[in-house]
Amino acid sequence: MKKFKFSLDTVLSYKQQVLESLQGEHALILARVREQETVLEGLWQEYRDYNEEYRQRAGEGLTITDALMYQSGLRAGELEIQRETQHLEKLRAEEEKKRSEVVEAKKETSSIEKLREKKLDAYHKAEAKSEELFIEEFVSSARAHANVGA
């Protein structure tokens, strides 16, 4: 019997390549999200430290110039945190979009793989049936020759 050939093997191969590519892109975006989260946490820590320093110095007594400098520094920190938070939200949205693309590509690949498995199973069953018929014919032929010779 001829060798199994799945007509959609090239499509399956292409879909698998697309899936691997999307998974790689998703991993990169996820790494950027984690990196941005680290940056943001660092900014928050700097802000808390600076705010604590301001409160301590204010408790000890500050000049108006120093107090304004601290307040200005705190506002600048808040703005930077706000900018970096917006950047993080954009990255998360990008990651979510890429994740849904990966899920969709997995579904497509999986459906083609299942179809391939069904076709391969049907091929194996047909092959087994063909071998059974061949053996039956061989046995019948051998019996016929044995009867003719007897």
Side-chain angles (χ1 to χ4, degrees), residues 68-126:
L68 290 173
M69 180 190 72
Y70 274 106
Q71 290 174 358
S72 176
L74 288 172
R75 276 194 299 276
E78 290 167 359
L79 289 174
E80 188 172 4
I81 287 171
Q82 187 179 22
R83 267 195 316 275
E84 295 300 333
T85 300
Q86 289 172 348
H87 183 60
L88 178 59
E89 289 171 1
K90 286 179 185 176
L91 286 173
R92 284 182 175 160
E94 190 178 334
E95 184 271 334
E96 182 61 36
K97 181 180 177 205
K98 192 57 70 173
R99 182 183 325 161
S100 65
E101 289 177 20
V102 168
V103 168
E104 193 58 38
K106 260 186 182 173
K107 286 180 187 176
E108 291 174 7
T109 303
S110 177
S111 66
I112 295 173
E113 286 172 343
K114 285 179 184 177
L115 179 61
R116 185 182 194 285
E117 288 172 14
K118 285 181 183 178
K119 296 282 187 181
L120 183 60
D121 188 44
Y123 169 79
H124 286 307
K125 286 179 181 175

Side-chain angles (χ1 to χ4, degrees), residues 13-60:
S13 176
Y14 171 74
K15 292 289 185 182
Q16 287 170 333
Q17 288 173 0
V18 168
L19 176 60
E20 289 171 8
S21 174
L22 287 172
Q23 287 172 329
E25 291 171 15
H26 181 250
L28 290 174
I29 293 170
L30 205 53
R32 287 173 46 205
V33 167
R34 300 291 177 249
E35 183 181 317
Q36 185 63 21
E37 288 172 341
T38 303
V39 166
L40 194 55
E41 183 53 42
L43 288 174
W44 272 110
Q45 189 59 50
E46 286 177 22
Y47 179 82
R48 286 188 294 267
D49 293 346
Y50 194 71
N51 193 24
E52 182 61 31
E53 182 183 327
Y54 170 57
R55 290 178 190 272
Q56 283 180 349
R57 297 268 323 266
E60 299 167 358

